[in-house]
Amino acid sequence: MSRMSHSALRRNFRDLLASKLCFETASVFDPMSARIAADLGFEVGILGGSVASLQVLAAPDFALITLSEFVEQATRIGRVAQLPFIADADHGYGNALNVMRTVQELERAGVAALTIEDTLLPAQFGRKSTDLISIDEGIGKVKAALEARVDPELSIIARTNAAVLPVADVAERTQAYEKAGADGICIVGIKDFEHLEQISEKLTVPLMLVTYGNPKLNDSQRLANLGVRVVVAGHAAYFAAIKATYDSLRAQRHMTQSTSNLSATELTHTYTQPESYVAWAKEFMNVKE
């Protein structure tokens, strides 16, 4: 069976960005899910940082996973993937120099694109967990990522959180990242189409939205008209796997009911114990709500 090279898959992703269409990502978290997604005709996948944290550490998405652990998972996927996949590289695992290392490692792993966000990660002592780095530092990370890549087909996507800043500030950030050379802009926390229009009107690079299934943004044609090429609606496939694993093991133990009433979200909360991490962050780091 013929296989496409990593560079060819990256070109496919760039063709997707250059199109006039909007594509929804498949959540790919291991080699099997990547093969399934490609076989079902998905045009693009994503390895989410939150999913990698769950799968590798059984821990919530608090920037606990290391670069090497994340790269190992991306490499496993990259060995077999026949669809381009995006790596959610969080903050690049440190400063701009760390971003360079992150790009080098993920490029070798076979990703087609990666997102670098401007959230202040990991959470800092005495700060809010949603604080952002300065625009200048964000620009530096974008430029460092571009400098580090070897294959020019690899797409560098700058990510920011529109939910924690006024519209004008988000617009300023995204325009600055575009000017710095980002191949695309990823935005989290868009409330509705009016919110998107206010931010996107002065951007010319392709957009990627993390919507978590927001019904107010459930119009792919309208999204496409506003320059959105990639939508991450969530990671339902992985959470369904958690639920299926739990119910299968319950059945194996001959429980009265082989399936439980617990949802995948409730199961994830139970087994990652996020309230413990929140309490530790408050106690040891004075992290603000």
Side-chain angles (χ1 to χ4, degrees):
M1 182 175 64
S2 62
R3 298 186 67 244
M4 296 181 67
S5 68
H6 292 153
S7 191
L9 289 170
R10 291 168 185 150
R11 285 194 295 274
N12 282 359
F13 182 73
R14 284 190 172 270
D15 289 343
L16 179 155
L17 292 182
S19 74
K20 300 297 183 183
L21 302 174
C22 180
F23 301 90
E24 186 172 326
T25 59
S27 182
V28 295
F29 43 87
D30 62 9
M32 184 67 77
S33 61
R35 281 183 168 165
I36 291 170
D39 185 60
L40 292 175
F42 277 90
E43 295 84 3
V44 59
I46 186 167
L47 171 60
S50 59
V51 171
S53 184
L54 288 171
Q55 189 166 42
V56 175
L57 303 175
D61 189 20
F62 289 170
L64 300 171
I65 193 169
T66 65
L67 173 60
S68 60
E69 289 169 330
F70 186 74
V71 168
E72 285 174 2
Q73 202 64 10
T75 300
R76 294 183 184 106
I77 297 169
R79 277 198 291 263
V80 305
Q82 287 301 284
L83 81 168
F85 73 101
I86 305 163
D88 169 9
D90 288 335
H91 60 317
Y93 298 90
N95 62 27
L97 300 184
N98 299 115
V99 167
M100 297 182 80
R101 174 75 187 281
T102 296
V103 170
Q104 292 163 354
E105 296 294 335
L106 286 174
E107 182 173 335
R108 280 194 285 268
V111 307
L114 57 91
T115 60
I116 298 291
E117 66 183 88
D118 56 9
T119 309
L120 183 61
L121 295 175
Q124 304 291 299
F125 187 93
R127 301 286 293 269
K128 292 182 179 180
S129 60
T130 54
D131 283 346
L132 306 185
I133 60 178
S134 69
I135 294 178
D136 286 342
E137 186 174 357
I139 291 170
K141 286 191 170 187
V142 171
K143 290 183 175 179
L146 295 169
E147 175 68 23
R149 72 178 172 190
V150 175
D151 185 351
E153 301 291 353
L154 177 69
S155 295
I156 305 297
I157 301 174
R159 169 173 161 162
T160 195
N161 191 336
V164 301
L165 291 174
V167 170
D169 292 346
V170 179
E172 182 183 8
R173 281 178 178 267
T174 54
Q175 289 169 40
Y177 300 155
E178 175 177 334
K179 186 176 180 181
D183 297 302
I185 302 293
C186 176
I187 310 175
V188 183
I190 292 290
K191 300 179 182 69
D192 50 35
F193 278 104
E194 181 181 359
H195 192 201
L196 176 60
E197 288 168 357
Q198 291 174 325
I199 294 169
S200 66
E201 61 180 354
K202 293 185 178 179
L203 295 172
T204 60
V205 293
L207 301 182
M208 172 178 168
L209 295 190
V210 180
T211 67
Y212 300 116
N214 181 353
K216 294 182 179 180
L217 295 168
N218 190 22
D219 186 335
S220 60
Q221 186 57 60
R222 191 172 178 186
L223 289 172
N225 293 342
L226 290 171
V228 178
R229 299 292 170 259
V230 178
V231 168
V232 182
H235 300 285
Y238 184 69
F239 291 105
I242 291 174
K243 172 69 171 169
T245 299
Y246 181 79
D247 287 340
S248 177
L249 290 175
R250 277 179 61 90
Q252 187 176 339
R253 293 296 290 176
H254 306 292
M255 301 239 174
T256 305
Q257 292 181 319
S258 61
T259 58
S260 75
N261 293 324
L262 291 174
S263 68
T265 300
E266 290 169 330
L267 288 168
T268 302
H269 186 95
T270 297
Y271 293 112
T272 60
Q273 303 173 338
E275 64 279 352
S276 296
Y277 290 91
V278 171
W280 292 329
K282 289 180 179 178
E283 181 179 358
F284 305 131
M285 297 166 54
N286 193 29
V287 170
K288 310 297 183 183
E289 291 287 351

